[in-house]
């Protein structure tokens, strides 16, 4: 093969020899999957190709086999990684920016397989070879004849193979290049991997068949009528038995229907048929509009409770099974998520079938991002360079044509982070012409001249509020400004879920709900894109950027999801679920009522059942059902407490909490009956009876002091409590920085401030200023500060013991010295206890971790967990696991002996089998080394989390300021 034949790789052309894009509906026409094992050879680049590999006679017997679909870099990563390794880069292009050229080192996969054309395959018609996704450019041969080539990794491509197929055995050969001119259009923030990663098939197109259909199914909320018109590429018959429709395609039929919404995904089975082909369709009737600057579906404003979803699997990369797609949607639905932005490319098309079926608002995004040009002043940006027009339009057409029949898709997105440009404008115009029934979205177009929604990412709360009021800063041109001010707004990305966080979700939600202009937002992002690895001894961990020896990479910026890489929900997803719950439950103990406010946009609460529960000091003393009438969307109802609830409430004598739960009354397609959707809890103010009885005096003993069962060393540090060895408690201001502390785009991060030579919160020293032992107790005055630092804290520990109570109380008074012009990571005490006290129980907020600005989901209760389950396994270890508002916590050993910590009234509680320093030093979970002790933090407060790794930092009300603080903790033991 001569070099000239390879020009397509660096050509701006989107492809050659391809068929026109179409929806390619499933039908009864013959089809043959070509998925399975293919022969595979990985060449180093265009200089290293296998001459004649496409010829049927070529002997590939010595080649490896590789599964199609799959990503070649995902194979055997713990072994020899025979096909290279994944690379993660965010914005920068992974190769020299010299469009359209790509490196000579261009891994190129050569694939071959044979297949037998089924004997009963019809003799007439055409036969197409269909690729659902090949990353990034490829050429295709059938029986040695080149059919063409294509680009556009996450878009389908078809070639007409009819004239080159033979009865019996046929050979198909595909050459796939990791890099191509198309890679300049695919600079998405994700792993850079390649291969035939979506299914391949041979599809028969019968003569007189239906190559394409376009179902226009609108709903008129004023009349309740649906209007259906199905365009087909051939004259055909349309039947919708349930609606009594039997008509010619192209005709418009209007009938009463139940509309489709993401909350009520009503689909009607239809069939489009000619004599030679039968195409089943699932029709959802709905109308998407912008009216009065508000985004509406079926005449009703909708609120998007969304996530950005990359396609990712920790073992197979961008190749997902149908089960994984369904699992994603089930998890989303179970966590009240109602919208997906398919960041930043069209997903496997089966995902959209599931969205139609289960109910999800979808922004379908084109496979287009040119973010890397940002670093060079957007010079030569393909999105704004007419030379790339055809390539951009081709991508838009392939997405729209493929996905146009999905009720779930309500907006077409032009792509992500391409700035703005003439090609985007052309794409928008084309899409509006082709499909006037959907809105056009583009995040990059801040002037919003050619789009239907105003969309931005990571907007801080105060700016969002201005946008909500339509009081944002004007844009460049008055006409554009007027247009934009009349648009609805969506936050296409917000709340960067990297590591521990995000904080501030509830504050965003409040703004979304307050301002009709704001149609909601999409958390960045759904899943941590970690890659599963195993240590030699079989321990699992998740790799991120840099773990495969990449020289250019963006580290753990790839692990920023609401679910961990293995799809277990992170605490952030649990928080999000609560923040966006579509039903709000208010409980009023004064007038003994419960208010159910239905925040659904369409569904009434008829699908829910309500229960109540009365807790006395965290123990349920009564529970029952609550009869509440079905509440219409947007309405609310107030019901009185049941008699049983009122009775239990009056009988309780400890701390009282009333909870009401809304659960699914019946099985749904995505969760079983009983699954909780929303809850409310009210906790009554409570003051424990004061501790009385005489105070014991400390005794000076050799090497220290004794107070009741407590032994202190000569520096006044607690060493033994009722025979149990402990170390501390001492003032602790440090936390292993979370990603949001650590990353500051262009500024000084909080973690840098904390670690600065003038602060040194990570290396505090404790100097005893004086110890007083008198009849009030033992008082230890200290000054806490770091080498080199002038600022510090005075910390005074006052120990008192009342033998009658058996509890040793520590009262800590903290006073900052000098100027602290930054917030503190935490303020509390840390101590170490023996490792075997592993069984944790607490009465407080739970069950998950909670921080100042991410605590909506924490509910008061009694919880139990082993220490291991108190840790949250962020891919890059960092501060985690703090339980909020803890009244008491208990650590028990296997004999049942326990240490108890009491709040006055409460504290934040963390327990780990490693130190904060160990947590901070580890770069992956498997590097965390358990010690022979447990480390307990009892905090008066912690700094919030914010979203500064991409977005705003911690809001003022959740910042932990250095100011005079006093708090008390009780210490006690229980015998086994
Ligand atoms: C956005 C971008 C996303 C992702 C995110 C940070 O700017 O659109 O793809 O990079 O930032 O994780």
């Amino acid at each position: 093969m001569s070099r000239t034949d390879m020009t397509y790789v660096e050509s701006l052309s989107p492809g050659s020899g391809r068929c026109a894009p179409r929806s390619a509906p499933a039908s009864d026409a013959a089809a043959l999957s070509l998925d399975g094992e293919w022969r595979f050879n990985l060449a180093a680049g265009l200089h290293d190709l296998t001459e004649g590999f496409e010829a049927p006679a070529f002997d590939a017997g010595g080649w490896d086999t590789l599964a199609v679909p799959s990503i070649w870099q995902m194979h055997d990563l713990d072994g020899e990684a025979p096909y290279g390794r994944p690379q993660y880069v965010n914005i920068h292009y992974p190769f020299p920016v010299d469009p359209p050229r790509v490196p000579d080192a261009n891994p190129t996969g050569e694939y071959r397989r044979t297949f037998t054309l089924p004997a009963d395959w019809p003799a007439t018609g055409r036969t197409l070879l269909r690729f659902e996704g090949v990353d990034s450019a490829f050429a295709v041969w059938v029986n040695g004849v080149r059919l063409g080539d294509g680009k556009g990794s996450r878009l389908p491509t078809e070639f007409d193979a009819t004239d080159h197929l033979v009865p019996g055995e046929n050979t198909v050969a595909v050459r796939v290049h990791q890099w191509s001119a198309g890679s300049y259009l695919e600079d998405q923030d994700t792993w850079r991997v390649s291969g035939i990663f979506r299914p391949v098939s041979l599809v028969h197109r019968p003569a007189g068949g239906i190559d394409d259909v376009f179902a226009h199914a609108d709903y008129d909320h004023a009349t309740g009528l649906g209007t259906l018109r199905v365009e087909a590429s051939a004259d055909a018959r349309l039947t919708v038995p349930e609606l009594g429709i039997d008509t010619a395609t192209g005709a418009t039929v209007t009938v009463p229907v139940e509309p489709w919404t993401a909350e009520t995904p009503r689909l009607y089975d239809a069939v489009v048929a000619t004599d030679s082909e039968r195409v089943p369709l699932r029709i959802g009737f709905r109308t998407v509009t912008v009216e009065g600057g508000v985004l509406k579906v079926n005449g009703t404003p909708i609120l998007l409770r969304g996530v950005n979803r990359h396609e990712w699997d920790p073992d197979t990369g961008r190749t997902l099974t149908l089960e994984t797609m369904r699992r994603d949607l089930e998890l989303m639905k179970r966590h009240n998520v109602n919208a997906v932005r398919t960041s930043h490319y069209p997903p496997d098309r089966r995902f959209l079938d599931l969205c139609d079926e289960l109910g999800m608002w979808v922004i379908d995004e084109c496979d287009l991002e040119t973010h890397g040009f940002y670093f060079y002043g957007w010079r030569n940006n393909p999105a704004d360079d007419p030379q790339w027009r055809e390539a951009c339009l081709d991508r838009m057409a392939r997405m729209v044509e493929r996905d146009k029949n999905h009720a779930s898709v309500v907006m077409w997105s032009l792509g992500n982070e391409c700035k703005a440009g003439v090609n985007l404008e052309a794409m928008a115009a084309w899409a509006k012409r082709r499909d006037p029934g959907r809105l056009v979205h583009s995040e990059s177009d801040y002037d919003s001249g050619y789009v239907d929604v105003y969309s931005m990412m990571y907007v801080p709360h105060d700016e969002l509020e201005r946008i909500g009021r339509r009081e944002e800063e004007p844009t460049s041109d008055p006409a554009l400004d007027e247009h934009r001010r009349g648009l609805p707004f969506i936050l296409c990305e917000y709340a960067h879920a990297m590591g521990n966080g995000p904080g501030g979700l509830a504050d965003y939600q409040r703004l979304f709900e307050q301002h009709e202009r704001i149609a909601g937002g999409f958390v960045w992002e759904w899943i941590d894109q970690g890659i599963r690895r195993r240590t030699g001894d079989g321990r699992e961990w998740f790799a991120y950027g840099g773990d495969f020896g990449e020289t250019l990479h963006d580290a753990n910026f790839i692990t920023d999801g609401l679910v961990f890489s293995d799809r277990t929900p992170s605490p952030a997803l649990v928080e999000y679920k609560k923040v966006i719950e579509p039903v709000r439950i208010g409980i009023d103990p004064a007038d003994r009522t419960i208010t159910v406010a239905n925040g659904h946009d369409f569904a009434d609460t008829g699908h829910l059942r309500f229960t109540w529960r009365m807790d006395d000091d965290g123990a349920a003393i009564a529970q029952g059902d609550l009869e509440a009438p079905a509440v219409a969307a947007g309405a609310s109802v107030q019901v009185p407490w049941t008699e049983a609830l009122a009775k239990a409430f009056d009988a309780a004598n400890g701390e009282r909490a009333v909870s009401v739960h809304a659960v699914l009354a019946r099985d749904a397609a995505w969760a079983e009956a009983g699954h909780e959707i929303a809850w409310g809890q009210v906790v009554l103010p409570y003051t424990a009876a004061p501790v009385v009885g005489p105070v014991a005096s400390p005794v000076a003993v050799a090497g220290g002091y004794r107070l009741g069962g407590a032994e202190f060393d000569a520096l006044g540090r607690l060493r033994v409590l009722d025979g149990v060895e402990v170390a501390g408690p001492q003032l602790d201001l440090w936390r292993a920085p979370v990603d949001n502390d650590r990353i500051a785009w262009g500024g000084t991060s909080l973690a840098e401030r904390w670690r600065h030579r003038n602060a040194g919160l990570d290396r505090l020293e404790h100097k005893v200023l004086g110890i007083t032992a008198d009849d009030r107790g033992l008082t230890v005055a200290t000054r806490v500060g770091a080498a080199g630092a002038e600022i510090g804290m005075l910390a005074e520990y006052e120990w008192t013991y009342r033998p009658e109570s058996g509890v040793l109380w520590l009262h800590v008074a903290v006073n900052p010295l000098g100027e602290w012009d930054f917030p503190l990571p935490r303020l509390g005490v840390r101590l170490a206890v023996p490792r075997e006290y592993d069984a944790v129980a607490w009465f407080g907020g739970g069950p998950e971790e909670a921080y100042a600005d991410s605590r909506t989901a924490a509910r008061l209760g009694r919880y139990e967990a082993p220490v291991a389950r108190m840790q949250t396994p962020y891919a890059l270890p960092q501060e985690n696991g703090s339980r909020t508002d803890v009244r008491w916590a208990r650590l028990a050993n296997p004999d049942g002996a326990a240490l108890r910590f009491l709040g006055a009234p409460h504290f934040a509680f963390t327990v780990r089998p490693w130190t904060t320093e160990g947590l901070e030093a580890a770069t992956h979970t498997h590097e965390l080394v358990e010690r022979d002790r447990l480390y307990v933090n009892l905090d008066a407060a912690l700094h919030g989390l914010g979203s500064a790794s991409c977005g705003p930092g911690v809001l003022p009300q959740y910042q932990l300021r250095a100011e005079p603080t006093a708090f008390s903790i009780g210490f006690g033991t229980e015998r086994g």
Side-chain angles (χ1 to χ4, degrees):
M1 165 147 317
S2 75
R3 184 83 197 203
T4 39
D5 292 320
M6 303 308 300
T7 50
Y8 72 96
V9 175
E10 293 183 342
S11 145
L12 303 192
S13 160
S16 67
R18 302 169 306 157
C19 304
R22 61 186 187 109
S23 63
S27 79
D28 60 352
L32 180 68
S33 166
L34 296 182
D35 293 349
E37 294 294 312
W38 289 48
R39 287 288 173 183
F40 182 73
N41 172 57
L42 189 65
L46 301 191
H47 56 284
D48 183 39
L49 304 179
T50 308
E51 212 38 63
F53 91 110
E54 70 279 10
F58 179 83
D59 180 8
W63 285 13
D64 293 349
T65 61
L66 185 82
V68 167
S70 77
I71 292 287
W72 70 58
Q73 291 92 342
M74 292 297 288
H75 288 268
D76 199 16
L77 287 172
D78 288 328
E80 288 174 9
Y83 314 125
R85 296 165 200 270
Q87 175 184 8
Y88 166 56
V89 257
N90 174 5
I91 306 175
H92 282 93
Y93 281 98
F95 43 73
V97 181
D98 179 25
R101 279 186 278 272
V102 294
D104 290 336
N106 186 2
T108 293
E110 296 173 325
Y111 294 77
R112 284 179 49 106
R113 69 165 285 167
T114 56
F115 62 88
T116 304
L117 200 61
D120 58 356
W121 203 270
T124 57
R126 314 292 300 170
T127 299
L128 311 184
L129 188 54
R130 180 175 173 91
F131 295 84
E132 300 291 346
V134 182
D135 196 331
S136 80
F138 66 116
V140 181
W141 293 259
V142 164
N143 296 327
V145 179
R146 192 175 191 279
L147 299 184
D149 53 77
K151 299 192 184 80
S153 300
R154 298 87 181 203
L155 289 161
T157 310
E158 286 178 329
F159 301 94
D160 191 336
T162 318
D163 298 340
H164 313 291
L165 291 168
V166 295
E169 190 173 275
N170 290 266
T171 303
V172 55
V174 186
R175 187 175 268 142
V176 181
H177 312 276
Q178 173 156 17
W179 310 122
S180 68
S183 306
Y184 284 95
L185 304 179
E186 295 171 11
D187 194 30
Q188 291 95 343
D189 175 11
T190 184
W191 293 98
R192 311 299 169 115
V193 289
S194 35
I196 305 177
F197 74 99
R198 285 185 189 158
V200 182
S201 56
L202 201 65
V203 289
H204 182 68
R205 303 299 322 123
I210 304 155
D211 291 334
D212 200 6
V213 294
F214 191 170
H216 304 269
D218 299 331
Y219 179 74
D220 182 343
H221 65 280
T223 59
L225 298 176
T227 300
L228 181 63
R229 181 171 52 89
V230 177
E231 295 166 14
S233 54
D235 287 340
R237 201 80 205 151
L238 165 72
T239 48
V240 189
E242 207 184 335
L243 295 174
I245 296 175
D246 184 349
T247 182
T249 51
T252 301
V253 192
T254 300
V255 285
V257 295
E258 291 170 40
W260 186 97
T261 75
E263 293 168 7
T264 53
R266 179 69 160 97
L267 292 171
Y268 291 90
D269 286 316
V271 174
V272 180
T274 62
D275 290 345
S276 57
E277 189 171 20
R278 224 176 152 267
V279 171
L281 289 179
R282 306 199 78 191
I283 310 273
F285 292 85
R286 50 130 196 74
T287 296
V288 189
T289 52
V290 170
E291 285 167 50
V294 175
L295 174 64
K296 293 186 178 175
V297 174
N298 304 337
T300 301
I302 61 166
L303 187 58
L304 304 167
R305 303 163 164 99
V307 295
N308 280 280
R309 174 179 178 270
H310 262 288
E311 293 187 303
W312 194 252
D313 177 278
D315 302 309
T316 57
R318 201 148 291 122
T319 300
L320 303 191
T321 61
L322 189 59
E323 292 68 53
T324 301
M325 297 175 217
R326 180 176 275 277
R327 172 123 182 257
D328 271 351
L329 281 169
E330 285 174 358
L331 274 171
M332 288 176 193
K333 297 282 290 187
R334 287 178 196 164
H335 290 87
N336 295 332
V337 169
N338 71 358
V340 172
R341 172 173 175 237
T342 69
S343 55
H344 301 301
Y345 41 80
D348 185 307
R349 61 177 176 160
R350 294 169 293 175
F351 181 75
L352 297 178
D353 294 335
L354 292 169
C355 290
D356 292 345
E357 178 189 321
L358 299 178
M360 198 53 74
W361 306 117
V362 176
I363 299 185
D364 198 2
E365 189 149 276
C366 196
D367 192 1
L368 183 63
E369 173 161 344
T370 60
H371 205 175
F373 286 88
Y374 157 83
F375 295 108
Y376 316 107
W378 293 100
R379 260 190 320 283
N380 301 324
N381 177 15
D384 196 29
D385 178 345
Q387 291 186 78
W388 292 86
R389 180 186 161 97
E390 189 198 347
C392 292
L393 280 172
D394 173 84
R395 285 170 186 246
M396 195 66 187
R398 282 155 72 197
M399 171 175 76
V400 171
E401 298 300 353
R402 190 194 73 166
D403 296 340
K404 60 186 181 264
N405 292 313
H406 289 284
S408 55
V409 176
V410 290
M411 280 186 220
W412 301 118
S413 174
L414 306 179
N416 186 56
E417 297 186 315
C418 300
K419 197 157 187 294
V422 289
N423 298 334
L424 297 175
E425 195 166 352
M427 290 162 76
W430 182 88
K432 281 165 178 287
R433 252 197 333 272
R434 176 70 179 129
D435 179 19
R438 288 187 177 87
L439 305 180
V440 171
H441 166 273
S442 175
E443 157 299 311
S444 309
D445 179 18
Y446 298 136
D447 288 350
S448 308
Y450 43 80
V451 294
D452 303 312
V453 290
Y454 176 23
S455 171
M456 288 173 79
M457 47 175 73
Y458 306 107
V459 173
H461 299 78
D462 49 357
E463 190 181 343
L464 182 65
E465 177 145 34
R466 285 195 295 279
I467 294 173
R469 298 185 204 279
R470 301 187 198 270
E471 289 169 5
E472 69 272 18
E473 290 291 305
T475 182
S476 48
D477 156 309
L480 284 179
D481 189 61
E482 198 191 322
H483 168 71
R484 193 178 74 182
R485 228 169 272 280
L487 296 181
F489 181 83
I490 66 169
L491 206 42
C492 68
E493 292 180 28
Y494 79 112
H496 199 239
M498 182 180 188
N500 191 347
L505 276 171
D507 309 83
Y508 274 115
Q509 194 63 25
R510 228 168 283 131
L511 294 170
F512 295 166
E513 292 178 12
Q514 263 163 23
H515 299 281
E516 227 188 8
R517 182 190 195 183
I518 308 176
F522 296 78
V523 168
W524 186 266
E525 68 177 306
W526 171 243
I527 185 169
D528 268 5
Q529 298 178 52
I531 294 179
R532 196 193 314 265
R533 307 291 307 276
R534 289 210 164 71
T535 58
D537 58 0
R539 279 172 303 135
E540 180 181 279
W541 59 283
F542 292 93
Y544 49 74
D547 288 333
F548 299 103
E550 309 108 287
T551 43
L552 182 70
H553 67 82
D554 287 293
N556 66 319
F557 212 67
I558 189 76
T559 48
D560 52 1
L562 290 172
V563 296
F564 291 109
S565 302
D566 63 2
R567 289 189 157 70
T568 48
S570 80
L573 183 61
V574 179
E575 173 77 2
Y576 194 42
K577 173 183 179 179
K578 172 65 180 157
V579 164
I580 60 177
E581 59 186 5
V583 173
R584 302 276 187 216
I585 298 169
I587 303 163
D588 188 339
D591 63 8
R592 303 203 168 190
T593 56
I594 290 160
T595 308
V596 175
N598 183 3
H600 286 97
D601 297 323
F602 301 96
D604 68 24
T605 55
H607 63 298
L608 301 176
R609 188 164 66 77
F610 294 84
T611 63
W612 60 267
R613 172 181 145 144
M614 178 66 219
D615 282 0
D616 189 359
D617 271 341
I621 52 166
Q623 43 205 335
D625 289 335
L626 184 77
E627 293 306 324
V631 187
S636 67
V637 73
Q638 211 179 46
V639 293
W641 285 13
T642 64
E643 247 173 64
L645 168 55
K647 211 168 123 207
F649 183 82
D650 293 334
N653 46 29
E655 185 170 11
R656 292 177 294 181
V658 185
S659 311
V660 174
H661 314 257
V663 302
L664 287 182
R666 294 172 291 281
D667 287 352
W670 41 271
E672 291 183 355
H675 165 81
E676 188 179 84
I677 298 290
W679 56 274
Q681 185 181 56
V682 66
V683 179
L684 279 294
Y686 174 75
T687 319
V691 184
V692 287
V695 170
S697 296
V699 190
V701 294
Y705 305 85
R706 179 169 297 172
L707 179 58
E711 296 168 29
F712 298 83
D713 67 12
L715 290 176
R717 294 175 300 197
L718 184 66
R719 285 294 178 247
V720 175
L721 182 65
D722 299 338
V724 183
E725 269 186 49
V726 300
Q730 268 194 331
L731 185 74
D732 191 7
L733 304 179
W734 188 233
R735 73 181 183 193
V738 301
D739 293 315
N740 292 316
D741 297 333
R742 218 170 41 77
I743 300 175
W745 288 82
T748 308
S749 75
L750 266 184
E752 282 170 87
R753 305 282 298 276
W754 295 340
R755 283 200 189 97
H756 192 275
R757 278 169 175 260
N758 297 345
L761 302 191
D762 56 335
R763 50 192 172 79
L764 293 175
E765 297 178 30
H766 303 256
K767 156 85 182 162
V768 175
L769 304 178
I771 302 183
T772 323
D774 59 23
D775 54 10
R776 281 172 315 191
L778 182 72
T779 304
V780 184
T782 67
R783 183 187 188 284
V784 182
E790 189 194 29
I791 57 171
M793 295 273 180
L794 286 179
E796 196 176 84
Y797 306 86
E798 214 182 84
W799 294 95
T800 50
Y801 180 62
R802 288 189 165 80
E804 258 173 61
S805 69
V807 178
L808 176 70
W809 278 95
L810 167 64
H811 182 74
V812 187
V814 182
N815 283 290
L817 299 170
E819 216 179 300
W820 291 74
D821 55 359
F822 52 84
L824 301 175
R826 65 163 12 103
L827 178 66
V829 293
R830 162 150 61 137
L831 72 157
V833 306
R835 178 68 186 92
E836 64 270 18
Y837 285 76
D838 185 77
V840 187
W842 77 98
F843 172 33
E848 300 292 338
E849 68 186 18
Y851 289 79
D853 54 358
S854 70
R855 44 172 297 158
T856 317
R859 42 185 136 181
L860 184 66
R862 286 197 207 175
Y863 302 95
E864 288 179 12
V867 166
R869 279 231 317 273
M870 300 296 280
Q871 319 306 311
T872 310
Y874 295 110
L876 173 80
Q878 53 194 273
E879 163 65 29
N880 71 82
S882 176
R883 269 37 178 208
T884 188
D885 296 327
V886 174
R887 279 67 169 157
W888 55 254
R890 181 174 181 273
L891 298 175
N893 74 10
D895 301 329
L899 287 161
R900 284 175 68 89
F901 310 107
L902 309 179
H906 40 71
F907 54 89
F909 171 65
T910 312
V911 51
R912 329 175 199 281
W914 36 71
T915 58
T916 298
E917 292 69 27
L919 183 64
E920 189 183 345
T923 62
H924 297 86
T925 49
H926 66 286
E927 293 164 15
L928 286 165
V929 185
E930 288 206 11
R931 308 277 288 265
D932 57 358
R933 299 199 281 184
L934 296 176
Y935 298 86
V936 179
N937 274 95
L938 310 167
D939 292 309
L942 285 105
H943 186 58
L945 302 170
S947 190
S949 57
C950 192
V954 175
L955 289 171
Q957 62 270 36
Y958 307 120
Q959 296 185 4
L960 176 57
R961 309 230 168 260
E963 52 195 20
T965 308
F967 60 97
S968 302
I969 310 270
F971 296 83
T973 57
E974 290 168 21
R975 280 188 218 291

